[in-house]
Short mmCIF file of all heavy atoms in Angstrom, two decimals:
data_model
loop_
_atom_site.label_atom_id
_atom_site.label_comp_id
_atom_site.label_asym_id
_atom_site.label_seq_id
_atom_site.Cartn_x
_atom_site.Cartn_y
_atom_site.Cartn_z
N MET V 3 0.85 -1.20 0.00
CA MET V 3 0.00 0.00 0.00
C MET V 3 0.88 1.24 0.00
O MET V 3 1.91 1.25 0.65
CB MET V 3 -0.89 0.02 1.24
CG MET V 3 -2.08 -0.93 1.14
SD MET V 3 -3.30 -0.59 2.39
CE MET V 3 -2.42 -1.11 3.84
N PRO V 4 0.46 2.26 -0.71
CA PRO V 4 1.26 3.49 -0.73
C PRO V 4 1.19 4.23 0.60
O PRO V 4 0.17 4.20 1.29
CB PRO V 4 0.63 4.31 -1.86
CG PRO V 4 -0.76 3.79 -1.98
CD PRO V 4 -0.71 2.34 -1.58
N LEU V 5 2.28 4.91 0.89
CA LEU V 5 2.38 5.71 2.11
C LEU V 5 2.14 7.17 1.73
O LEU V 5 2.80 7.70 0.85
CB LEU V 5 3.76 5.54 2.72
CG LEU V 5 4.04 6.28 4.02
CD1 LEU V 5 3.16 5.76 5.13
CD2 LEU V 5 5.50 6.14 4.39
N TYR V 6 1.18 7.79 2.39
CA TYR V 6 0.83 9.17 2.07
C TYR V 6 1.27 10.11 3.19
O TYR V 6 1.24 9.75 4.37
CB TYR V 6 -0.68 9.32 1.88
CG TYR V 6 -1.21 8.58 0.68
CD1 TYR V 6 -1.89 7.38 0.83
CD2 TYR V 6 -1.01 9.08 -0.60
CE1 TYR V 6 -2.38 6.70 -0.27
CE2 TYR V 6 -1.49 8.40 -1.70
CZ TYR V 6 -2.17 7.22 -1.54
OH TYR V 6 -2.65 6.54 -2.62
N ASP V 7 1.63 11.32 2.79
CA ASP V 7 1.91 12.39 3.75
C ASP V 7 0.67 13.25 3.89
O ASP V 7 0.03 13.60 2.90
CB ASP V 7 3.06 13.26 3.25
CG ASP V 7 4.40 12.59 3.43
OD1 ASP V 7 4.61 12.00 4.50
OD2 ASP V 7 5.22 12.66 2.51
N PHE V 8 0.37 13.62 5.11
CA PHE V 8 -0.76 14.50 5.38
C PHE V 8 -0.29 15.69 6.21
O PHE V 8 0.68 15.60 6.96
CB PHE V 8 -1.85 13.77 6.19
CG PHE V 8 -2.56 12.70 5.41
CD1 PHE V 8 -2.03 11.43 5.33
CD2 PHE V 8 -3.74 13.00 4.76
CE1 PHE V 8 -2.68 10.45 4.61
CE2 PHE V 8 -4.40 12.01 4.03
CZ PHE V 8 -3.86 10.74 3.96
N ARG V 9 -1.03 16.78 6.06
CA ARG V 9 -0.81 17.92 6.94
C ARG V 9 -2.15 18.38 7.48
O ARG V 9 -3.14 18.44 6.75
CB ARG V 9 -0.13 19.07 6.19
CG ARG V 9 0.42 20.14 7.14
CD ARG V 9 1.20 21.19 6.39
NE ARG V 9 0.34 22.01 5.56
CZ ARG V 9 -0.35 23.05 6.03
NH1 ARG V 9 -0.25 23.41 7.28
NH2 ARG V 9 -1.13 23.75 5.22
N CYS V 10 -2.17 18.73 8.76
CA CYS V 10 -3.39 19.17 9.40
C CYS V 10 -3.52 20.68 9.27
O CYS V 10 -2.59 21.42 9.58
CB CYS V 10 -3.37 18.76 10.87
SG CYS V 10 -4.79 19.38 11.79
N ASP V 11 -4.69 21.15 8.80
CA ASP V 11 -4.91 22.59 8.68
C ASP V 11 -5.19 23.24 10.02
O ASP V 11 -5.09 24.45 10.17
CB ASP V 11 -6.09 22.85 7.75
CG ASP V 11 -5.69 22.69 6.30
OD1 ASP V 11 -4.48 22.69 6.01
OD2 ASP V 11 -6.59 22.56 5.44
N GLU V 12 -5.58 22.47 11.00
CA GLU V 12 -5.93 23.03 12.31
C GLU V 12 -4.69 23.29 13.16
O GLU V 12 -4.50 24.38 13.68
CB GLU V 12 -6.87 22.08 13.05
CG GLU V 12 -8.21 21.89 12.37
CD GLU V 12 -9.09 23.15 12.46
OE1 GLU V 12 -8.93 23.94 13.40
OE2 GLU V 12 -9.94 23.32 11.56
N CYS V 13 -3.86 22.28 13.32
CA CYS V 13 -2.72 22.43 14.23
C CYS V 13 -1.38 22.39 13.49
O CYS V 13 -0.34 22.61 14.09
CB CYS V 13 -2.74 21.34 15.31
SG CYS V 13 -2.39 19.69 14.70
N GLY V 14 -1.41 22.12 12.18
CA GLY V 14 -0.19 22.15 11.40
C GLY V 14 0.66 20.90 11.52
O GLY V 14 1.77 20.86 10.98
N ALA V 15 0.16 19.89 12.19
CA ALA V 15 0.95 18.66 12.35
C ALA V 15 1.08 17.94 11.01
O ALA V 15 0.17 17.96 10.18
CB ALA V 15 0.28 17.75 13.37
N ARG V 16 2.22 17.33 10.81
CA ARG V 16 2.40 16.48 9.64
C ARG V 16 2.48 15.03 10.10
O ARG V 16 3.08 14.73 11.13
CB ARG V 16 3.68 16.85 8.89
CG ARG V 16 3.49 18.05 7.99
CD ARG V 16 4.69 18.26 7.11
NE ARG V 16 4.95 17.11 6.24
CZ ARG V 16 5.77 17.15 5.20
NH1 ARG V 16 6.44 18.24 4.93
NH2 ARG V 16 5.95 16.07 4.46
N PHE V 17 1.87 14.16 9.32
CA PHE V 17 1.91 12.75 9.67
C PHE V 17 1.81 11.92 8.40
O PHE V 17 1.44 12.41 7.34
CB PHE V 17 0.79 12.40 10.67
CG PHE V 17 -0.61 12.74 10.18
CD1 PHE V 17 -1.41 11.76 9.61
CD2 PHE V 17 -1.09 14.02 10.30
CE1 PHE V 17 -2.70 12.07 9.18
CE2 PHE V 17 -2.38 14.35 9.86
CZ PHE V 17 -3.17 13.37 9.30
N GLU V 18 2.15 10.66 8.54
CA GLU V 18 2.11 9.73 7.42
C GLU V 18 1.14 8.61 7.72
O GLU V 18 0.96 8.22 8.86
CB GLU V 18 3.51 9.13 7.17
CG GLU V 18 4.54 10.13 6.77
CD GLU V 18 5.90 9.50 6.61
OE1 GLU V 18 6.16 8.48 7.29
OE2 GLU V 18 6.70 10.01 5.83
N LYS V 19 0.51 8.12 6.68
CA LYS V 19 -0.44 7.04 6.85
C LYS V 19 -0.46 6.18 5.60
O LYS V 19 -0.40 6.70 4.48
CB LYS V 19 -1.84 7.63 7.11
CG LYS V 19 -2.80 6.67 7.78
CD LYS V 19 -4.02 7.44 8.26
CE LYS V 19 -4.98 6.54 9.01
NZ LYS V 19 -4.40 6.03 10.26
N ARG V 20 -0.53 4.90 5.81
CA ARG V 20 -0.69 3.99 4.67
C ARG V 20 -2.17 3.79 4.37
O ARG V 20 -2.95 3.49 5.26
CB ARG V 20 -0.06 2.63 4.99
CG ARG V 20 1.43 2.66 4.94
CD ARG V 20 2.00 1.27 5.03
NE ARG V 20 3.44 1.31 5.21
CZ ARG V 20 4.29 1.45 4.17
NH1 ARG V 20 3.82 1.55 2.95
NH2 ARG V 20 5.57 1.51 4.40
N LEU V 21 -2.51 3.98 3.10
CA LEU V 21 -3.89 3.82 2.69
C LEU V 21 -3.96 2.92 1.47
O LEU V 21 -3.12 3.01 0.58
CB LEU V 21 -4.50 5.18 2.30
CG LEU V 21 -4.58 6.25 3.37
CD1 LEU V 21 -5.17 7.51 2.76
CD2 LEU V 21 -5.44 5.80 4.53
N SER V 22 -4.98 2.10 1.41
CA SER V 22 -5.24 1.39 0.17
C SER V 22 -5.85 2.37 -0.83
O SER V 22 -6.29 3.45 -0.47
CB SER V 22 -6.19 0.22 0.41
OG SER V 22 -7.46 0.71 0.73
N PHE V 23 -5.87 1.99 -2.09
CA PHE V 23 -6.40 2.90 -3.09
C PHE V 23 -7.87 3.20 -2.84
O PHE V 23 -8.36 4.28 -3.11
CB PHE V 23 -6.21 2.32 -4.49
CG PHE V 23 -4.78 2.41 -4.94
CD1 PHE V 23 -4.01 1.27 -5.05
CD2 PHE V 23 -4.23 3.64 -5.25
CE1 PHE V 23 -2.69 1.35 -5.46
CE2 PHE V 23 -2.90 3.74 -5.65
CZ PHE V 23 -2.14 2.59 -5.76
N SER V 24 -8.60 2.25 -2.31
CA SER V 24 -10.02 2.49 -2.04
C SER V 24 -10.23 3.48 -0.91
O SER V 24 -11.28 4.07 -0.78
CB SER V 24 -10.72 1.17 -1.72
OG SER V 24 -10.17 0.61 -0.55
N GLN V 25 -9.21 3.67 -0.08
CA GLN V 25 -9.31 4.61 1.03
C GLN V 25 -8.76 5.98 0.69
O GLN V 25 -8.83 6.89 1.51
CB GLN V 25 -8.52 4.09 2.23
CG GLN V 25 -9.11 2.87 2.91
CD GLN V 25 -8.20 2.42 4.04
OE1 GLN V 25 -7.07 2.01 3.80
NE2 GLN V 25 -8.66 2.52 5.26
N SER V 26 -8.21 6.14 -0.50
CA SER V 26 -7.40 7.32 -0.77
C SER V 26 -8.22 8.60 -0.81
O SER V 26 -7.68 9.68 -0.72
CB SER V 26 -6.62 7.16 -2.07
OG SER V 26 -7.52 6.97 -3.14
N ASP V 27 -9.53 8.50 -0.97
CA ASP V 27 -10.35 9.70 -1.00
C ASP V 27 -11.08 9.98 0.30
O ASP V 27 -11.80 10.95 0.42
CB ASP V 27 -11.39 9.60 -2.13
CG ASP V 27 -10.75 9.74 -3.49
OD1 ASP V 27 -9.70 10.41 -3.59
OD2 ASP V 27 -11.29 9.17 -4.45
N THR V 28 -10.89 9.13 1.28
CA THR V 28 -11.58 9.34 2.54
C THR V 28 -10.85 10.39 3.38
O THR V 28 -9.65 10.61 3.23
CB THR V 28 -11.65 8.03 3.35
OG1 THR V 28 -10.33 7.57 3.58
CG2 THR V 28 -12.43 6.99 2.59
N ARG V 29 -11.61 11.03 4.25
CA ARG V 29 -11.02 12.03 5.13
C ARG V 29 -10.27 11.34 6.26
O ARG V 29 -10.77 10.42 6.89
CB ARG V 29 -12.11 12.92 5.72
CG ARG V 29 -12.67 13.90 4.74
CD ARG V 29 -12.53 15.31 5.27
NE ARG V 29 -12.85 16.29 4.23
CZ ARG V 29 -11.96 17.15 3.75
NH1 ARG V 29 -10.74 17.16 4.23
NH2 ARG V 29 -12.28 18.00 2.83
N ILE V 30 -9.07 11.82 6.51
CA ILE V 30 -8.21 11.23 7.53
C ILE V 30 -8.15 12.20 8.70
O ILE V 30 -7.82 13.38 8.51
CB ILE V 30 -6.80 10.97 6.98
CG1 ILE V 30 -6.87 10.10 5.72
CG2 ILE V 30 -5.92 10.35 8.06
CD1 ILE V 30 -7.53 8.75 5.94
N ALA V 31 -8.47 11.74 9.88
CA ALA V 31 -8.43 12.60 11.06
C ALA V 31 -6.99 12.80 11.52
O ALA V 31 -6.18 11.87 11.48
CB ALA V 31 -9.26 11.98 12.17
N CYS V 32 -6.70 14.01 11.99
CA CYS V 32 -5.38 14.31 12.52
C CYS V 32 -5.14 13.51 13.81
O CYS V 32 -5.99 13.51 14.70
CB CYS V 32 -5.29 15.81 12.80
SG CYS V 32 -3.81 16.30 13.68
N PRO V 33 -4.00 12.84 13.92
CA PRO V 33 -3.73 12.07 15.14
C PRO V 33 -3.43 12.97 16.34
O PRO V 33 -3.46 12.50 17.49
CB PRO V 33 -2.51 11.23 14.76
CG PRO V 33 -1.84 12.00 13.68
CD PRO V 33 -2.94 12.70 12.92
N THR V 34 -3.13 14.24 16.10
CA THR V 34 -2.79 15.14 17.19
C THR V 34 -4.02 15.81 17.78
O THR V 34 -4.21 15.83 19.00
CB THR V 34 -1.80 16.22 16.69
OG1 THR V 34 -0.66 15.57 16.16
CG2 THR V 34 -1.40 17.15 17.81
N CYS V 35 -4.89 16.37 16.92
CA CYS V 35 -6.03 17.14 17.42
C CYS V 35 -7.36 16.56 16.97
O CYS V 35 -8.41 17.11 17.29
CB CYS V 35 -5.91 18.60 16.97
SG CYS V 35 -6.18 18.84 15.20
N ALA V 36 -7.35 15.46 16.21
CA ALA V 36 -8.56 14.76 15.77
C ALA V 36 -9.39 15.56 14.78
O ALA V 36 -10.51 15.18 14.45
CB ALA V 36 -9.42 14.32 16.96
N SER V 37 -8.87 16.66 14.27
CA SER V 37 -9.57 17.40 13.23
C SER V 37 -9.56 16.61 11.93
O SER V 37 -8.60 15.90 11.63
CB SER V 37 -8.89 18.75 13.02
OG SER V 37 -9.38 19.36 11.85
N GLN V 38 -10.62 16.77 11.14
CA GLN V 38 -10.62 16.15 9.82
C GLN V 38 -10.24 17.14 8.73
O GLN V 38 -10.36 16.85 7.54
CB GLN V 38 -12.00 15.54 9.53
CG GLN V 38 -12.28 14.36 10.45
CD GLN V 38 -13.39 13.47 9.92
OE1 GLN V 38 -14.22 13.90 9.13
NE2 GLN V 38 -13.39 12.23 10.35
N HIS V 39 -9.79 18.32 9.14
CA HIS V 39 -9.32 19.29 8.17
C HIS V 39 -7.87 19.01 7.82
O HIS V 39 -6.96 19.78 8.13
CB HIS V 39 -9.47 20.72 8.72
CG HIS V 39 -10.90 21.12 8.91
ND1 HIS V 39 -11.30 22.06 9.83
CD2 HIS V 39 -12.02 20.70 8.30
CE1 HIS V 39 -12.62 22.19 9.77
NE2 HIS V 39 -13.08 21.37 8.86
N THR V 40 -7.65 17.87 7.20
CA THR V 40 -6.30 17.48 6.81
C THR V 40 -6.24 17.42 5.29
O THR V 40 -7.24 17.22 4.61
CB THR V 40 -5.95 16.10 7.37
OG1 THR V 40 -6.92 15.15 6.95
CG2 THR V 40 -5.91 16.13 8.89
N ARG V 41 -5.04 17.62 4.78
CA ARG V 41 -4.88 17.51 3.33
C ARG V 41 -3.73 16.57 3.01
O ARG V 41 -2.74 16.51 3.74
CB ARG V 41 -4.65 18.89 2.70
CG ARG V 41 -3.41 19.60 3.17
CD ARG V 41 -3.31 20.96 2.54
NE ARG V 41 -4.38 21.86 3.02
CZ ARG V 41 -4.78 22.94 2.35
NH1 ARG V 41 -4.23 23.25 1.20
NH2 ARG V 41 -5.73 23.70 2.83
N ARG V 42 -3.89 15.86 1.93
CA ARG V 42 -2.86 14.92 1.53
C ARG V 42 -1.82 15.65 0.68
O ARG V 42 -2.17 16.40 -0.22
CB ARG V 42 -3.49 13.78 0.71
CG ARG V 42 -2.61 12.57 0.61
CD ARG V 42 -3.36 11.44 -0.04
NE ARG V 42 -3.53 11.67 -1.47
CZ ARG V 42 -4.52 11.18 -2.20
NH1 ARG V 42 -5.43 10.46 -1.65
NH2 ARG V 42 -4.58 11.43 -3.49
N LEU V 43 -0.58 15.43 0.99
CA LEU V 43 0.50 16.04 0.22
C LEU V 43 0.94 15.06 -0.86
O LEU V 43 1.02 13.86 -0.65
CB LEU V 43 1.68 16.36 1.15
CG LEU V 43 1.34 17.20 2.38
CD1 LEU V 43 2.56 17.35 3.27
CD2 LEU V 43 0.84 18.58 1.97
N ILE V 44 1.22 15.63 -2.03
CA ILE V 44 1.68 14.78 -3.13
C ILE V 44 3.14 14.42 -2.87
O ILE V 44 3.99 15.28 -2.71
CB ILE V 44 1.55 15.53 -4.46
CG1 ILE V 44 0.11 15.98 -4.67
CG2 ILE V 44 2.01 14.64 -5.60
CD1 ILE V 44 -0.90 14.86 -4.67
N SER V 45 3.41 13.14 -2.85
CA SER V 45 4.77 12.70 -2.57
C SER V 45 5.30 11.86 -3.71
O SER V 45 4.55 11.32 -4.52
CB SER V 45 4.80 11.89 -1.28
OG SER V 45 4.17 10.65 -1.48
N ALA V 46 6.61 11.73 -3.78
CA ALA V 46 7.24 10.93 -4.82
C ALA V 46 6.88 9.46 -4.68
O ALA V 46 6.97 8.71 -5.64
CB ALA V 46 8.75 11.10 -4.76
N VAL V 47 6.48 9.06 -3.50
CA VAL V 47 6.12 7.66 -3.29
C VAL V 47 4.96 7.27 -4.20
O VAL V 47 4.93 6.20 -4.78
CB VAL V 47 5.75 7.44 -1.81
CG1 VAL V 47 5.34 5.99 -1.58
CG2 VAL V 47 6.92 7.80 -0.93
N MET V 48 4.01 8.17 -4.35
CA MET V 48 2.86 7.89 -5.20
C MET V 48 3.29 7.70 -6.64
O MET V 48 2.83 6.79 -7.32
CB MET V 48 1.87 9.06 -5.13
CG MET V 48 1.08 9.11 -3.85
SD MET V 48 -0.02 10.54 -3.87
CE MET V 48 -1.00 10.20 -5.32
N VAL V 49 4.16 8.57 -7.15
CA VAL V 49 4.58 8.50 -8.54
C VAL V 49 5.30 7.19 -8.81
O VAL V 49 5.05 6.52 -9.81
CB VAL V 49 5.51 9.69 -8.88
CG1 VAL V 49 6.02 9.57 -10.31
CG2 VAL V 49 4.75 11.00 -8.70
N LEU V 50 6.17 6.79 -7.91
CA LEU V 50 6.88 5.54 -8.09
C LEU V 50 5.92 4.35 -8.09
O LEU V 50 6.09 3.40 -8.84
CB LEU V 50 7.91 5.37 -6.98
CG LEU V 50 9.11 6.32 -7.06
CD1 LEU V 50 9.98 6.17 -5.82
CD2 LEU V 50 9.93 6.06 -8.30
N GLY V 51 4.89 4.41 -7.27
CA GLY V 51 3.93 3.33 -7.21
C GLY V 51 3.18 3.16 -8.53
O GLY V 51 3.00 2.04 -9.01
N VAL V 52 2.80 4.27 -9.15
CA VAL V 52 2.09 4.20 -10.42
C VAL V 52 2.99 3.63 -11.50
O VAL V 52 2.58 2.77 -12.27
CB VAL V 52 1.58 5.62 -10.82
CG1 VAL V 52 1.06 5.61 -12.24
CG2 VAL V 52 0.50 6.06 -9.86
N GLY V 53 4.23 4.08 -11.55
CA GLY V 53 5.14 3.61 -12.58
C GLY V 53 5.42 2.13 -12.46
O GLY V 53 5.51 1.42 -13.46
N ALA V 54 5.52 1.63 -11.24
CA ALA V 54 5.85 0.23 -11.05
C ALA V 54 4.70 -0.68 -11.46
O ALA V 54 4.93 -1.77 -11.97
CB ALA V 54 6.21 -0.01 -9.58
N SER V 55 3.47 -0.22 -11.28
CA SER V 55 2.34 -1.10 -11.56
C SER V 55 1.90 -1.01 -13.02
O SER V 55 1.36 -1.97 -13.54
CB SER V 55 1.17 -0.75 -10.64
OG SER V 55 0.76 0.58 -10.88
N GLY V 56 2.12 0.14 -13.67
CA GLY V 56 1.56 0.32 -15.01
C GLY V 56 2.56 0.21 -16.14
O GLY V 56 2.18 0.29 -17.30
N ALA V 57 3.83 0.02 -15.83
CA ALA V 57 4.85 0.08 -16.87
C ALA V 57 5.07 -1.27 -17.54
O ALA V 57 5.10 -2.30 -16.89
CB ALA V 57 6.16 0.57 -16.28
N THR V 58 5.22 -1.22 -18.85
CA THR V 58 5.70 -2.39 -19.57
C THR V 58 6.94 -1.97 -20.35
O THR V 58 6.86 -1.12 -21.22
CB THR V 58 4.63 -2.94 -20.54
OG1 THR V 58 4.24 -1.89 -21.41
CG2 THR V 58 3.43 -3.46 -19.78
N ALA V 59 8.06 -2.52 -20.03
CA ALA V 59 9.33 -2.04 -20.58
C ALA V 59 9.59 -2.59 -21.98
O ALA V 59 10.49 -2.15 -22.65
CB ALA V 59 10.47 -2.45 -19.65
N GLU V 60 8.81 -3.51 -22.48
CA GLU V 60 9.11 -4.15 -23.75
C GLU V 60 9.00 -3.17 -24.90
O GLU V 60 8.01 -2.46 -25.03
CB GLU V 60 8.14 -5.32 -23.97
CG GLU V 60 8.29 -6.37 -22.91
CD GLU V 60 7.85 -7.75 -23.42
OE1 GLU V 60 7.80 -7.93 -24.63
OE2 GLU V 60 7.58 -8.60 -22.58
N GLY V 61 10.03 -3.12 -25.73
CA GLY V 61 10.04 -2.23 -26.88
C GLY V 61 10.13 -0.77 -26.52
O GLY V 61 9.99 0.08 -27.38
N GLY V 62 10.35 -0.45 -25.29
CA GLY V 62 10.49 0.94 -24.88
C GLY V 62 9.18 1.69 -24.85
O GLY V 62 9.16 2.88 -24.68
N GLY V 63 8.05 1.01 -25.02
CA GLY V 63 6.77 1.72 -25.06
C GLY V 63 6.01 1.61 -23.78
O GLY V 63 4.93 1.04 -23.74
N CYS V 64 6.56 2.11 -22.71
CA CYS V 64 5.90 1.91 -21.43
C CYS V 64 4.81 2.93 -21.18
O CYS V 64 4.02 2.77 -20.28
CB CYS V 64 6.93 1.90 -20.28
SG CYS V 64 7.16 3.46 -19.46
N GLY V 65 4.75 4.00 -21.98
CA GLY V 65 3.66 4.95 -21.85
C GLY V 65 3.61 5.67 -20.53
O GLY V 65 2.56 6.11 -20.10
N CYS V 66 4.77 5.85 -19.92
CA CYS V 66 4.79 6.47 -18.61
C CYS V 66 4.75 7.99 -18.71
O CYS V 66 4.56 8.67 -17.73
CB CYS V 66 6.03 6.04 -17.84
SG CYS V 66 7.55 6.69 -18.58
N GLY V 67 4.99 8.55 -19.90
CA GLY V 67 5.02 9.99 -20.03
C GLY V 67 6.21 10.63 -19.34
O GLY V 67 6.20 11.80 -19.03
N GLY V 68 7.24 9.86 -19.11
CA GLY V 68 8.45 10.38 -18.49
C GLY V 68 8.45 10.28 -16.98
O GLY V 68 9.34 10.77 -16.33
N ALA V 69 7.45 9.66 -16.41
CA ALA V 69 7.34 9.61 -14.96
C ALA V 69 8.27 8.56 -14.34
O ALA V 69 8.58 8.62 -13.16
CB ALA V 69 5.91 9.33 -14.53
N CYS V 70 8.67 7.59 -15.12
CA CYS V 70 9.56 6.57 -14.59
C CYS V 70 10.95 6.73 -15.20
O CYS V 70 11.21 7.66 -15.94
CB CYS V 70 9.00 5.16 -14.82
SG CYS V 70 9.20 4.57 -16.50
N SER V 71 11.85 5.82 -14.93
CA SER V 71 13.23 5.97 -15.37
C SER V 71 13.52 5.11 -16.60
O SER V 71 14.54 4.47 -16.69
CB SER V 71 14.17 5.60 -14.22
OG SER V 71 13.89 4.28 -13.78
N CYS V 72 12.62 5.11 -17.56
CA CYS V 72 12.76 4.24 -18.74
C CYS V 72 13.44 4.96 -19.89
O CYS V 72 13.40 4.50 -21.00
CB CYS V 72 11.40 3.71 -19.17
SG CYS V 72 10.29 5.00 -19.75
N HIS V 73 14.03 6.13 -19.67
CA HIS V 73 14.82 6.86 -20.66
C HIS V 73 13.97 7.36 -21.82
O HIS V 73 14.42 7.42 -22.95
CB HIS V 73 15.98 6.01 -21.19
CG HIS V 73 16.82 5.44 -20.10
ND1 HIS V 73 17.53 6.22 -19.23
CD2 HIS V 73 17.03 4.17 -19.74
CE1 HIS V 73 18.17 5.43 -18.38
NE2 HIS V 73 17.88 4.19 -18.65
N HIS V 74 12.76 7.71 -21.59
CA HIS V 74 11.98 8.37 -22.64
C HIS V 74 12.41 9.83 -22.72
O HIS V 74 12.55 10.45 -21.69
CB HIS V 74 10.49 8.30 -22.31
CG HIS V 74 9.86 7.03 -22.82
ND1 HIS V 74 8.58 6.94 -23.24
CD2 HIS V 74 10.39 5.81 -22.93
CE1 HIS V 74 8.33 5.70 -23.62
NE2 HIS V 74 9.40 4.99 -23.44
ZN1 ZN L 294 -4.33 18.62 13.93
#
């Protein structure tokens, strides 16, 4: 499961949480103040996860759009 970074808008705390893809749109409560005013930060972990699952290296046509390290 991908590891996401979150930041709390109420108290400013940053925390990490592992979520399955089905959970990725749910609101995550802050572990410090229990507020649900948290936002997910875009991290490189997500990009690497997409490239690893969707890439086919055969013939150089992995269709990653340059997101992975396939030398496009
Ligand atoms: Zn908080």
Side-chain angles (χ1 to χ4, degrees):
M3 283 195 291
L5 181 65
Y6 295 103
D7 284 317
F8 291 85
R9 193 174 70 83
C10 175
D11 282 344
E12 296 289 334
C13 70
R16 279 189 60 167
F17 57 98
E18 296 177 332
K19 201 167 183 65
R20 286 189 189 277
L21 298 179
S22 69
F23 285 109
S24 62
Q25 290 177 296
S26 60
D27 288 332
T28 59
R29 286 236 170 244
I30 305 301
C32 172
T34 302
C35 71
S37 168
Q38 293 199 337
H39 294 153
T40 56
R41 61 182 67 202
R42 198 172 73 207
L43 306 175
I44 303 302
S45 71
V47 179
M48 285 179 59
V49 176
L50 290 174
V52 170
S55 62
T58 55
E60 298 206 19
C64 95
C66 67
C70 77
S71 56
C72 65
H73 307 297
H74 273 213

